[in-house]
PDB file of all heavy atoms in Angstrom:
ATOM      1  N   VAL A  18     -58.518 109.035 118.610  1.00  0.00           N
ATOM      2  CA  VAL A  18     -58.205 110.339 118.061  1.00  0.00           C
ATOM      3  C   VAL A  18     -59.072 110.666 116.761  1.00  0.00           C
ATOM      4  O   VAL A  18     -58.864 110.024 115.842  1.00  0.00           O
ATOM      5  CB  VAL A  18     -56.737 110.518 117.737  1.00  0.00           C
ATOM      6  CG1 VAL A  18     -56.411 111.917 117.085  1.00  0.00           C
ATOM      7  CG2 VAL A  18     -55.823 110.216 118.994  1.00  0.00           C
ATOM      8  N   SER A  19     -59.798 111.643 116.919  1.00  0.00           N
ATOM      9  CA  SER A  19     -60.625 111.968 115.701  1.00  0.00           C
ATOM     10  C   SER A  19     -59.989 113.117 115.076  1.00  0.00           C
ATOM     11  O   SER A  19     -59.591 114.100 115.670  1.00  0.00           O
ATOM     12  CB  SER A  19     -62.123 112.333 116.163  1.00  0.00           C
ATOM     13  OG  SER A  19     -62.036 113.556 116.950  1.00  0.00           O
ATOM     14  N   ASP A  20     -59.951 113.061 113.735  1.00  0.00           N
ATOM     15  CA  ASP A  20     -59.223 113.991 112.927  1.00  0.00           C
ATOM     16  C   ASP A  20     -60.189 115.043 112.509  1.00  0.00           C
ATOM     17  O   ASP A  20     -60.330 115.296 111.232  1.00  0.00           O
ATOM     18  CB  ASP A  20     -58.553 113.413 111.742  1.00  0.00           C
ATOM     19  CG  ASP A  20     -57.423 114.289 111.114  1.00  0.00           C
ATOM     20  OD1 ASP A  20     -57.202 115.213 111.716  1.00  0.00           O
ATOM     21  OD2 ASP A  20     -56.957 113.811 109.976  1.00  0.00           O
ATOM     22  N   ASP A  21     -60.736 115.800 113.385  1.00  0.00           N
ATOM     23  CA  ASP A  21     -61.704 116.807 113.058  1.00  0.00           C
ATOM     24  C   ASP A  21     -61.167 118.012 112.298  1.00  0.00           C
ATOM     25  O   ASP A  21     -61.873 118.804 111.704  1.00  0.00           O
ATOM     26  CB  ASP A  21     -62.368 117.376 114.346  1.00  0.00           C
ATOM     27  CG  ASP A  21     -63.060 116.220 115.195  1.00  0.00           C
ATOM     28  OD1 ASP A  21     -63.613 115.262 114.475  1.00  0.00           O
ATOM     29  OD2 ASP A  21     -63.048 116.328 116.333  1.00  0.00           O
ATOM     30  N   LEU A  22     -59.980 118.312 112.457  1.00  0.00           N
ATOM     31  CA  LEU A  22     -59.363 119.503 111.915  1.00  0.00           C
ATOM     32  C   LEU A  22     -58.624 119.191 110.502  1.00  0.00           C
ATOM     33  O   LEU A  22     -57.980 120.185 110.050  1.00  0.00           O
ATOM     34  CB  LEU A  22     -58.287 120.120 112.870  1.00  0.00           C
ATOM     35  CG  LEU A  22     -58.814 120.595 114.185  1.00  0.00           C
ATOM     36  CD1 LEU A  22     -57.701 121.083 115.092  1.00  0.00           C
ATOM     37  CD2 LEU A  22     -59.852 121.656 113.961  1.00  0.00           C
ATOM     38  N   ALA A  23     -58.948 118.087 109.973  1.00  0.00           N
ATOM     39  CA  ALA A  23     -58.273 117.705 108.706  1.00  0.00           C
ATOM     40  C   ALA A  23     -58.429 118.743 107.651  1.00  0.00           C
ATOM     41  O   ALA A  23     -57.496 119.053 106.859  1.00  0.00           O
ATOM     42  CB  ALA A  23     -58.620 116.359 108.269  1.00  0.00           C
ATOM     43  N   ILE A  24     -59.592 119.253 107.442  1.00  0.00           N
ATOM     44  CA  ILE A  24     -59.954 120.115 106.424  1.00  0.00           C
ATOM     45  C   ILE A  24     -59.181 121.565 106.646  1.00  0.00           C
ATOM     46  O   ILE A  24     -58.709 122.027 105.730  1.00  0.00           O
ATOM     47  CB  ILE A  24     -61.465 120.354 106.262  1.00  0.00           C
ATOM     48  CG1 ILE A  24     -62.088 118.934 105.918  1.00  0.00           C
ATOM     49  CG2 ILE A  24     -61.775 121.364 105.195  1.00  0.00           C
ATOM     50  CD1 ILE A  24     -63.596 119.047 105.824  1.00  0.00           C
ATOM     51  N   ALA A  25     -59.171 121.870 107.774  1.00  0.00           N
ATOM     52  CA  ALA A  25     -58.593 123.236 108.146  1.00  0.00           C
ATOM     53  C   ALA A  25     -57.137 123.182 108.260  1.00  0.00           C
ATOM     54  O   ALA A  25     -56.432 124.111 108.302  1.00  0.00           O
ATOM     55  CB  ALA A  25     -59.223 123.703 109.466  1.00  0.00           C
ATOM     56  N   ARG A  26     -56.629 121.927 108.311  1.00  0.00           N
ATOM     57  CA  ARG A  26     -55.104 121.793 108.532  1.00  0.00           C
ATOM     58  C   ARG A  26     -54.282 122.503 107.463  1.00  0.00           C
ATOM     59  O   ARG A  26     -53.278 123.075 107.661  1.00  0.00           O
ATOM     60  CB  ARG A  26     -54.730 120.465 108.714  1.00  0.00           C
ATOM     61  CG  ARG A  26     -53.368 120.106 109.340  1.00  0.00           C
ATOM     62  CD  ARG A  26     -53.134 118.706 109.699  1.00  0.00           C
ATOM     63  NE  ARG A  26     -53.988 118.349 110.926  1.00  0.00           N
ATOM     64  CZ  ARG A  26     -54.715 117.332 110.845  1.00  0.00           C
ATOM     65  NH1 ARG A  26     -54.738 116.488 109.948  1.00  0.00           N
ATOM     66  NH2 ARG A  26     -55.462 117.094 111.993  1.00  0.00           N
ATOM     67  N   VAL A  27     -54.630 122.269 106.186  1.00  0.00           N
ATOM     68  CA  VAL A  27     -53.894 122.763 105.084  1.00  0.00           C
ATOM     69  C   VAL A  27     -53.730 124.385 105.250  1.00  0.00           C
ATOM     70  O   VAL A  27     -52.629 124.871 105.196  1.00  0.00           O
ATOM     71  CB  VAL A  27     -54.420 122.421 103.752  1.00  0.00           C
ATOM     72  CG1 VAL A  27     -53.670 123.245 102.668  1.00  0.00           C
ATOM     73  CG2 VAL A  27     -54.197 121.008 103.547  1.00  0.00           C
ATOM     74  N   GLY A  28     -54.913 125.018 105.525  1.00  0.00           N
ATOM     75  CA  GLY A  28     -54.916 126.375 105.710  1.00  0.00           C
ATOM     76  C   GLY A  28     -54.022 126.846 106.943  1.00  0.00           C
ATOM     77  O   GLY A  28     -53.327 127.872 106.735  1.00  0.00           O
ATOM     78  N   ALA A  29     -54.114 126.203 107.995  1.00  0.00           N
ATOM     79  CA  ALA A  29     -53.294 126.430 109.115  1.00  0.00           C
ATOM     80  C   ALA A  29     -51.749 126.363 108.833  1.00  0.00           C
ATOM     81  O   ALA A  29     -50.984 127.154 109.206  1.00  0.00           O
ATOM     82  CB  ALA A  29     -53.662 125.575 110.386  1.00  0.00           C
ATOM     83  N   VAL A  30     -51.448 125.262 108.112  1.00  0.00           N
ATOM     84  CA  VAL A  30     -50.070 125.032 107.842  1.00  0.00           C
ATOM     85  C   VAL A  30     -49.549 126.109 106.848  1.00  0.00           C
ATOM     86  O   VAL A  30     -48.460 126.683 107.089  1.00  0.00           O
ATOM     87  CB  VAL A  30     -49.861 123.632 107.277  1.00  0.00           C
ATOM     88  CG1 VAL A  30     -48.437 123.441 106.652  1.00  0.00           C
ATOM     89  CG2 VAL A  30     -50.151 122.618 108.353  1.00  0.00           C
ATOM     90  N   THR A  31     -50.279 126.464 105.831  1.00  0.00           N
ATOM     91  CA  THR A  31     -49.792 127.385 104.872  1.00  0.00           C
ATOM     92  C   THR A  31     -49.631 128.679 105.700  1.00  0.00           C
ATOM     93  O   THR A  31     -48.797 129.468 105.195  1.00  0.00           O
ATOM     94  CB  THR A  31     -50.616 127.435 103.651  1.00  0.00           C
ATOM     95  OG1 THR A  31     -51.986 127.680 104.104  1.00  0.00           O
ATOM     96  CG2 THR A  31     -50.589 126.155 102.837  1.00  0.00           C
ATOM     97  N   GLY A  32     -50.506 129.030 106.452  1.00  0.00           N
ATOM     98  CA  GLY A  32     -50.432 130.273 107.190  1.00  0.00           C
ATOM     99  C   GLY A  32     -49.234 130.347 108.054  1.00  0.00           C
ATOM    100  O   GLY A  32     -48.547 131.360 108.155  1.00  0.00           O
TER     101      GLY A  32
END
Side-chain angles (χ1 to χ4, degrees):
Chain A
V18 178
S19 62
D20 195 13
D21 299 331
L22 298 176
I24 298 173
R26 190 168 294 128
V27 170
V30 167
T31 52

